[in-house]
């Protein structure tokens, strides 16, 4: 058990809809990362937060947004969903978000767009 | 464009064999990560390297900064090592992932 909790585990929805994925980091970790893993593109970095502030941005689409709240949990919002958004979405956390610190991964949310 | 290349893509080994997975990256890094992903999908971070060598149990990871190359070694492989191994380049504010090496260890 990594200590990182992601909900929901599975999500099935339709094109054009909006969903929110939630991540609770490991106790004591201040930084949260979001990743997308799809069959055709593999793992991709989306965005990183540290103590409520955006720290780094990767290949995150404009239809997607994220935030980290004062209690350090994070949410990833996906809107105007397309079939290609079907993927596993992982959240990871680390103590201070520096490259030298290990990341602890949640079990992921599997998003299926019908 | 940053590229992270792994080899081999697929690897089948007999239990007990010594295994090496290679990773090449294209730009300077802050850290190189090795991840393990089991068939159920969960990801575990195995190592982070910025120089030298690290060892954890039967796993050894090395990195050569000048050659922009890292290797993951598994000694005395076991069927429970069967998983996808992914290397990732952390440049400090970006992550770039390899496509993974699928390892199957046969009893």
């Amino acid at each position: 058990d990594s200590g990182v909790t992601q909900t929901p585990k599975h999500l099935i929805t339709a094109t054009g809809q909006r969903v929110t994925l939630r991540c609770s980091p490991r106790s004591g970790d201040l930084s949260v990362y979001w990743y997308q893993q799809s069959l055709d593109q593999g793992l991709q970095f989306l965005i990183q937060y540290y103590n409520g502030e955006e720290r780094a941005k990767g290949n995150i689409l404009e239809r997607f947004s994220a935030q980290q709240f004062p209690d350090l949990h994070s949410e990833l919002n996906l809107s105007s969903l397309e079939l290609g958004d079907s993927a596993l979405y992982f959240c990871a956390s680390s103590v201070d978000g520096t490259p030298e610190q290990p990341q602890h991964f949640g079990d992921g949310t599997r998003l299926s767009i019908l | 464009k940053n590229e992270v290349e792994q080899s081999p893509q697929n690897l089948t080994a007999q239990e007990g064999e010594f295994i090496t997975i290679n990773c090449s990256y294209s730009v300077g890094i802050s850290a190189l990560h090795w991840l393990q992903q089991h068939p159920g999908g969960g990801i575990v971070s195995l190592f982070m390297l910025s120089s030298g060598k690290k060892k954890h149990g039967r796993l050894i990871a090395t990195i050569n900064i000048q050659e922009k190359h890292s290797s993951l070694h598994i000694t005395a492989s076991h069927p429970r090592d069967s998983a996808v191994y992914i290397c990732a380049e952390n440049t400090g504010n970006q992550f770039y992932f390899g496509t993974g090496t699928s390892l199957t260890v046969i009893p």
Side-chain angles (χ1 to χ4, degrees):
Chain A
D1 181 12
S2 68
V4 178
T5 304
Q6 287 189 249
T7 57
K9 291 193 186 309
H10 303 276
L11 199 46
I12 302 173
T13 188
T15 55
Q17 295 298 305
R18 172 190 165 94
V19 297
T20 297
L21 312 184
R22 182 187 169 101
C23 171
S24 293
R26 205 176 60 131
S27 178
D29 286 357
L30 297 178
S31 190
V32 168
Y33 305 77
W34 285 100
Y35 300 97
Q36 179 195 57
Q37 186 177 37
S38 60
L39 282 175
D40 57 343
Q41 298 208 11
L43 263 168
Q44 290 194 92
F45 166 62
L46 295 179
I47 198 162
Q48 178 196 2
Y49 283 87
Y50 172 74
N51 205 20
E53 299 290 326
E54 182 183 306
R55 175 170 275 190
K57 202 172 212 179
N59 297 326
I60 188 165
L61 300 173
E62 284 190 13
R63 300 183 286 109
F64 296 1
S65 65
Q67 60 184 117
Q68 186 180 25
F69 294 87
D71 68 353
L72 301 177
H73 92 272
S74 179
E75 293 181 356
L76 178 67
N77 300 296
L78 316 177
S79 62
S80 303
L81 287 167
E82 302 175 358
L83 292 176
D85 298 327
S86 294
L88 258 175
Y89 291 84
F90 287 101
C91 165
S93 71
S94 74
V95 171
D96 60 8
T98 57
E100 300 76 27
Q101 290 296 325
Q103 294 184 29
H104 305 271
F105 285 79
D107 291 336
T109 292
R110 186 174 296 277
L111 176 63
S112 299
I113 313 298
L114 303 179
Chain B
K1 177 187 172 192
N2 290 310
E3 288 190 359
V4 178
E5 295 185 356
Q6 285 186 240
S7 63
Q9 281 191 311
N10 297 284
L11 184 54
T12 300
Q14 289 291 132
E15 183 173 355
E17 284 185 12
F18 180 85
I19 288 162
T20 296
I21 300 170
N22 295 298
C23 175
S24 296
Y25 54 93
S26 60
V27 295
I29 59 166
S30 295
L32 191 290
H33 296 247
W34 281 102
L35 309 174
Q36 179 192 55
Q37 187 170 30
H38 278 284
I43 294 176
V44 174
S45 177
L46 298 175
F47 293 104
M48 282 171 329
L49 294 162
S50 54
S51 65
K53 174 180 172 178
K54 287 190 176 180
K55 184 175 189 289
H56 181 69
R58 295 179 295 105
L59 301 178
I60 303 166
T62 63
I63 190 166
N64 184 317
I65 300 294
Q66 286 73 33
E67 295 185 3
K68 295 187 172 62
H69 180 269
S70 178
S71 293
L72 177 68
H73 306 286
I74 305 175
T75 62
S77 59
H78 190 276
R80 66 174 174 266
D81 297 326
S82 298
V84 175
Y85 293 83
I86 302 168
C87 70
E89 175 187 15
N90 180 349
T91 64
N93 60 0
Q94 289 295 331
F95 292 84
Y96 301 96
F97 293 88
T99 52
T101 294
S102 179
L103 171 65
T104 302
V105 181
I106 301 170

